[in-house]
Amino acid sequence: MGKPEFLYVLADKMVKIGQDVTLSCEANTSDVTARWEKGGNRLQCVEGKHRVGKNGTKFFLEIKNVKQEDEANYTIILQNKLGTDSCSAFVFIELKPWRAVEKEQEPIITALKNFKIYSKEVPELRFLLHGPVGAGKSSIINTLKSIFEGHQFLNCLAANSDTTSGMSFTTKYEKFSIGPLPFAFYDVMGLEPDKNSGVCIDDIIKAFEGHVPDNYKFNPNFSIFEEHRDYISNPGINNKIHCLVSVIPADKLSLISEEVLQKIKDIRAKASKLGIPQLVFMTRVDKVCEMTKEDLGKIYQSKKIKDKIAECSNKLGVTENCIFPVKNYHDEIRSNEQLNCLVLQAFTQIVYSANDYIKRWSTSQKQKSDSPQEAPPPSLPTVALPELKVKVYSNMGGSQTKPEFVTVLANKTVKAGTDVILRCEANTEYVNATWEKAGHSLKCVQGKHRVGQTGTTFYLEIKDTKQEDEGNYTLTLKNDLGSDSCSAMVFVELDEWRSVKTRQEPMITELKNFKICCDEVRELRFLLHGPVGAGKSSTINTLKSIFEGHQFINCLAANADTSSGTSFTTKYQKFSIGTLPFALYDVMGLEEGTEFEENKGVHTEDIINAFKGHIPDNYEFLFNTPMIKKHRDFISNPDINNTIHCLVSVVAADRVSLMADKVFQKMRDIRAAASTLGIPQLVLMTRVDKVCELTNADLGKIYQSKKIKDKIAECSNRLGVTENCIFPVKNYHNEIESNEKLNCLALQALTQIVYSANDYVKRWSSTRKQFE
């Protein structure tokens, strides 16, 4: 017997999701104990998932049906009395593409060259890039100009983010046109943690407001002021920025200081208030993922990139579909089509978002020209069961071992009425075994449950599974030397309790052909309300994306995973849906607090006044101070075209249990007022993928999920609505291409909203005729 040494070590493996993978190595001796680790922790083998073994001096680990969570670094440690040796390898998982990647650049280039801005008054769309020093702002401009100008463009000076100088090459507010296209990028000095270093955030805010002239030289110590000779006092649409682009380096994301992140959030909050669309370029993706570095075409199959997008989303408070991972030209001197396609895909979204902003501006200008000008508004006033023992052992002459699992329980998904077995294996049979369900001792029912043990294998069989059998099951093994436990979830697919439409086109056609029952009503108006982060704005984005043919993200949406609790929506803003006679209205989110607390979201009276028709479009909400009748814009005598025709409550499925009673009370008060007026009410329950793995894997099974059914029941009880008024949906979050199953759920809900609103108008029309 010799000290263990490896003759052949483990090799890195790259596999597609759903495939099997085997890691193998060979040592100089078989007289060893072998231990496998994953990510530095002891590997817990799952029944039917992992298999470890050896054949002479060869050792192996087999992983079956690999999933996203199997991507990790695996280590084998060999040990005997003479010493130890170890080796490691990384398993990379190619996920199913979670976004589509364009493979040819020419169609995108042609579409952009032929692009026409919505308004002839705007000669070019203007985009402002901002972010920390070295993030790649200038490199993005270089990359885009290289694509469109036919040669490598290096005139926009770019800092090397691998350096530690932390100094920005950009010192001026500089404009860069993109070939002959009607687009212009503006570059600014980078953000830095120190208050007296980098660009002042007020300069960035004044820039997108249109006050900063081209070639203005930034001063880190103070911002441009109104008395500056070049300050643009009365900026027009052609001085302003039409899309704000945050640039974040993927490999430095975890290292960005809280001070810089706060500056970015402050800038975004101000842009949100002005309605400026916002996107994020996540650069340097090749620095965080070997698979992406070797093949950019696999960027949307990389778990590391997906994780980085999620991290960026949480840190900045943006939805994932606003984040575009890209690679800029760095050491390349020749054109790279995969690189170009990623950048062009992101650039196309910037262009469409900016154009949507111009479209809203143009509509607003037309409305202003159609209505008389009024004086400035006056200032407003402020104001337990016994243990189930499978086998009991005490000291019986044999040597005991502290229990540890060799294989752990695996999650199971079964159809209602079928049987399921949970099984695992331990390193010893001399234990007491206790089964629990949802943290409580499992009460076995005769003919329903069967628990047992064969040697070191332990099992639980559940026969004829029902809805109530869904839950988390835990097995705890215990003896005098210690204990160990493992858990698994049993998901029960119920019989479908609502039907799911599987094709979107018939619903889209029906809605496009829909006629309002009364000629006097120009459009049906729907008001969305609910707590901050529930998904009101994301719902609007989703519906507009379905009907407008491109991803719509101009209705700014907060990421509900963040803890800021601040609403991006500050105005009573109208969003039309394509050419349909429908309008969605977004309001500031509801927050906990009393009517006397400041800075606690929209006032309930503002929402009530809104659906009564007293609030004008684009009214800016004041925290906890409702609009008063004396306000110059208060609509004193609203008609049917000012009022709301359907009230839509938006609640996040994963937050229903966490929502404060005060928020629910506000929603109930609002609903009571709407009920008095006869306004129909529906509920959209968003983020369903966050509460149910079955639904997350397949939205088509949403009405077979016990968890979704339970969440609808909980929402019904807390909000006081019947369950058939609640529609579970998923909004676009990390997707940038169309998803028919997602669309069908949203369209089913919208169809019900439309018919409910039309019924309200029909009742109004009948009532009016009775009085005539």
Side-chain angles (χ1 to χ4, degrees):
M1 180 175 67
K3 176 182 178 293
E5 291 180 358
F6 286 99
L7 304 177
Y8 299 99
V9 295
L10 302 172
D12 292 346
K13 294 292 180 73
M14 188 176 295
V15 292
K16 293 183 184 296
I17 197 162
Q19 293 181 335
D20 301 342
V21 63
T22 300
L23 299 176
S24 59
C25 56
E26 187 173 356
N28 62 340
T29 177
S30 61
D31 193 8
V32 292
T33 57
R35 185 174 83 252
W36 288 88
E37 294 184 348
K38 175 186 176 184
N41 298 313
R42 179 176 169 270
L43 176 66
Q44 281 200 321
C45 293
V46 177
E47 178 220 346
K49 174 77 174 178
H50 302 95
R51 190 165 70 92
V52 297
K54 70 174 182 177
N55 185 5
T57 57
K58 294 180 179 179
F59 299 82
F60 65 86
L61 163 63
E62 183 180 9
I63 308 171
K64 289 187 172 291
N65 188 26
V66 293
K67 306 290 185 187
Q68 182 177 337
E69 58 269 19
D70 293 318
E71 182 167 288
N73 192 63
Y74 291 84
T75 301
I76 182 171
I77 302 169
L78 303 182
Q79 184 175 18
N80 63 18
K81 294 179 180 179
L82 299 177
T84 63
D85 199 6
S86 64
C87 64
S88 301
F90 206 93
V91 174
F92 297 95
I93 310 297
E94 288 185 20
L95 307 182
K96 292 178 181 177
W98 37 278
R99 286 185 189 173
V101 181
E102 297 291 341
K103 295 181 180 178
E104 296 182 7
Q105 65 186 39
E106 284 309 317
I108 315 177
I109 292 173
T110 300
L112 289 167
K113 285 182 175 179
N114 294 330
F115 186 86
K116 302 296 181 187
I117 300 173
Y118 181 81
S119 172
K120 292 180 179 178
E121 295 180 52
V122 180
E124 64 184 7
L125 299 178
R126 294 158 54 101
F127 322 125
L128 173 62
L129 278 69
H130 79 112
V133 173
K137 302 181 298 297
S138 302
S139 292
I140 286 170
I141 297 172
N142 287 340
T143 298
L144 281 166
K145 288 182 71 68
S146 297
I147 293 170
F148 284 97
E149 300 192 4
H151 63 275
Q152 201 77 7
F153 185 86
L154 304 171
N155 286 1
C156 184
L157 296 174
N160 179 1
S161 65
D162 289 325
T163 63
T164 56
S165 65
M167 294 181 61
S168 178
F169 272 116
T170 306
T171 57
K172 293 181 178 180
Y173 185 53
E174 196 166 0
K175 172 182 175 179
F176 292 89
S177 298
I178 308 294
L181 281 68
F183 313 131
F185 272 102
Y186 279 80
D187 197 14
V188 298
M189 178 182 286
L191 293 165
E192 298 185 39
D194 195 337
K195 290 183 179 179
N196 298 318
S197 300
V199 67
C200 292
I201 65 169
D202 282 344
D203 271 335
I204 295 180
I205 293 169
K206 288 186 170 73
F208 57 65
E209 288 178 335
H211 298 300
V212 179
D214 293 0
N215 295 313
Y216 168 75
K217 189 169 184 178
F218 297 108
N219 188 322
N221 296 309
F222 56 85
S223 173
I224 191 172
F225 48 94
E226 292 187 24
E227 292 75 19
H228 191 285
R229 63 174 184 171
D230 294 322
Y231 185 88
I232 301 172
S233 300
N234 298 300
I237 190 65
N238 291 314
N239 301 114
K240 297 179 180 180
I241 291 298
H242 309 137
C243 186
L244 179 68
V245 182
S246 305
V247 184
I248 304 293
D251 60 327
K252 302 295 179 70
L253 180 57
S254 304
L255 305 175
I256 297 175
S257 69
E258 289 299 323
E259 292 81 4
V260 169
L261 287 173
Q262 189 57 53
K263 287 182 178 181
I264 294 173
K265 290 175 184 176
D266 291 343
I267 292 164
R268 289 192 66 246
K270 182 62 177 178
S272 299
K273 194 171 184 179
L274 297 172
I276 298 171
Q278 302 167 42
L279 294 167
V280 179
F281 273 27
M282 192 174 74
T283 59
R284 296 169 59 84
V285 291
D286 55 312
K287 302 294 183 181
V288 297
C289 177
E290 286 289 329
M291 184 167 75
T292 301
K293 183 178 181 180
E294 292 182 9
D295 185 355
L296 275 173
K298 293 182 177 178
I299 191 166
Y300 293 131
Q301 294 171 257
S302 165
K303 180 178 179 293
K304 285 192 175 181
I305 297 300
K306 202 172 193 298
D307 289 346
K308 279 294 176 184
I309 290 176
E311 182 184 356
C312 184
S313 171
N314 290 330
K315 281 182 175 285
L316 294 190
V318 298
T319 55
E320 293 183 15
N321 60 352
C322 294
I323 303 171
F324 290 83
V326 296
K327 181 188 183 312
N328 292 320
Y329 283 109
H330 178 67
D331 54 2
E332 305 88 348
I333 59 172
R334 293 182 180 177
S335 181
N336 179 319
E337 188 158 21
Q338 286 184 335
L339 184 155
N340 293 352
C341 282
L342 280 179
V343 175
L344 287 167
Q345 239 178 314
F347 182 45
T348 299
Q349 186 60 61
I350 293 174
V351 169
Y352 276 109
S353 298
N355 199 51
D356 286 332
Y357 173 76
I358 296 299
K359 191 183 296 184
R360 290 204 309 278
W361 168 83
S362 180
T363 303
S364 175
Q365 290 298 108
K366 187 178 179 183
Q367 290 173 347
K368 287 180 181 177
S369 66
D370 292 341
S371 59
Q373 297 295 312
E374 299 184 18
S379 58
L380 295 174
T382 57
V383 279
L385 293 163
E387 281 191 343
L388 176 65
K389 297 181 179 180
V390 179
K391 233 177 189 180
V392 181
Y393 288 94
S394 185
N395 289 325
M396 299 172 62
S399 61
Q400 282 192 331
T401 303
K402 178 183 179 294
E404 291 182 356
F405 286 99
V406 177
T407 62
V408 295
L409 302 172
N411 292 341
K412 296 292 178 75
T413 300
V414 293
K415 293 186 181 296
T418 59
D419 302 342
V420 64
I421 297 177
L422 299 177
R423 184 185 289 110
C424 59
E425 187 177 351
N427 63 339
T428 177
E429 60 182 302
Y430 301 107
V431 292
N432 295 338
T434 305
W435 287 90
E436 294 181 348
K437 179 187 176 187
H440 300 284
S441 292
L442 177 66
K443 186 176 180 180
C444 288
V445 177
Q446 185 179 11
K448 174 74 173 178
H449 302 95
R450 189 164 69 92
V451 297
Q453 172 185 352
T454 303
T456 58
T457 300
F458 299 81
Y459 63 86
L460 162 65
E461 182 178 8
I462 308 171
K463 290 186 172 291
D464 186 25
T465 54
K466 305 293 184 187
Q467 181 177 339
E468 57 270 19
D469 293 317
E470 181 165 293
N472 193 63
Y473 291 82
T474 301
L475 172 63
T476 301
L477 304 181
K478 189 174 185 180
N479 64 19
D480 293 342
L481 298 178
S483 65
D484 199 5
S485 62
C486 63
S487 301
M489 188 76 194
V490 173
F491 300 98
V492 180
E493 289 185 13
L494 308 181
D495 291 334
E496 196 172 64
W497 39 277
R498 279 188 196 172
S499 61
V500 181
K501 298 286 181 70
T502 56
R503 293 180 59 240
Q504 66 185 38
E505 283 309 319
M507 287 187 281
I508 291 174
T509 301
E510 180 184 359
L511 289 168
K512 284 183 175 179
N513 294 332
F514 186 86
K515 303 295 182 187
I516 301 173
C517 65
C518 177
D519 291 338
E520 292 181 48
V521 178
R522 297 185 294 272
E523 62 187 8
L524 298 178
R525 294 156 55 101
F526 321 130
L527 174 61
L528 278 67
H529 80 112
V532 173
K536 302 180 297 297
S537 301
S538 291
T539 297
I540 295 171
N541 287 340
T542 297
L543 289 170
K544 286 183 71 67
S545 297
I546 294 170
F547 285 96
E548 300 198 2
H550 65 271
Q551 196 77 12
F552 185 87
I553 51 179
N554 279 8
C555 185
L556 298 168
N559 178 6
D561 290 324
T562 61
S563 56
S564 64
T566 303
S567 179
F568 271 115
T569 306
T570 58
K571 294 181 179 179
Y572 184 54
Q573 197 164 1
K574 171 183 175 180
F575 291 89
S576 298
I577 305 178
T579 57
L580 281 67
F582 314 135
L584 294 162
Y585 279 81
D586 197 15
V587 299
M588 179 183 289
L590 292 164
E591 298 185 43
E592 189 180 0
T594 69
E595 299 297 316
F596 307 102
E597 288 181 300
E598 296 182 356
N599 303 323
K600 287 294 179 183
V602 67
H603 199 288
T604 57
E605 283 302 317
D606 272 335
I607 295 180
I608 293 169
N609 279 330
F611 59 65
K612 286 180 177 179
H614 298 304
I615 306 287
D617 293 359
N618 295 312
Y619 169 72
E620 186 160 348
F621 297 107
L622 298 176
F623 288 113
N624 243 14
T625 303
M627 189 183 200
I628 59 173
K629 291 182 179 180
K630 294 181 180 179
H631 192 285
R632 64 157 187 161
D633 292 324
F634 187 89
I635 301 171
S636 300
N637 298 299
D639 62 18
I640 190 66
N641 286 307
N642 301 118
T643 59
I644 290 298
H645 309 134
C646 186
L647 178 67
V648 182
S649 304
V650 183
V651 177
D654 59 329
R655 303 295 173 87
V656 171
S657 304
L658 304 175
M659 282 173 59
D661 288 335
K662 290 179 181 178
V663 173
F664 271 113
Q665 188 56 53
K666 288 181 179 182
M667 296 181 74
R668 287 193 289 267
D669 291 344
I670 292 165
R671 289 190 64 250
S675 297
T676 301
L677 298 170
I679 297 173
Q681 302 163 44
L682 295 169
V683 179
L684 296 182
M685 193 174 74
T686 61
R687 294 168 59 84
V688 291
D689 55 312
K690 301 293 183 182
V691 297
C692 175
E693 290 186 23
L694 179 71
T695 301
N696 185 37
D698 185 355
L699 275 174
K701 293 183 176 179
I702 191 167
Y703 294 131
Q704 295 172 256
S705 165
K706 179 180 180 294
K707 284 195 174 181
I708 297 300
K709 203 171 192 303
D710 289 346
K711 281 295 176 184
I712 289 176
E714 182 182 2
C715 183
S716 171
N717 290 332
R718 296 201 73 185
L719 203 51
V721 297
T722 57
E723 294 186 15
N724 62 353
C725 291
I726 302 172
F727 291 83
V729 295
K730 180 187 185 311
N731 290 321
Y732 284 108
H733 177 68
N734 59 8
E735 308 87 349
I736 60 170
E737 66 278 347
S738 183
N739 179 321
E740 188 160 23
K741 288 181 179 179
L742 184 155
N743 292 352
C744 283
L745 285 176
L747 288 166
Q748 269 185 284
L750 176 62
T751 300
Q752 186 60 59
I753 292 169
V754 167
Y755 278 102
S756 299
N758 198 52
D759 287 338
Y760 171 77
V761 171
K762 191 182 295 182
R763 290 198 302 275
W764 168 84
S765 180
S766 298
T767 303
R768 193 191 55 158
K769 286 179 181 178
Q770 290 172 2
F771 283 100
E772 289 178 349

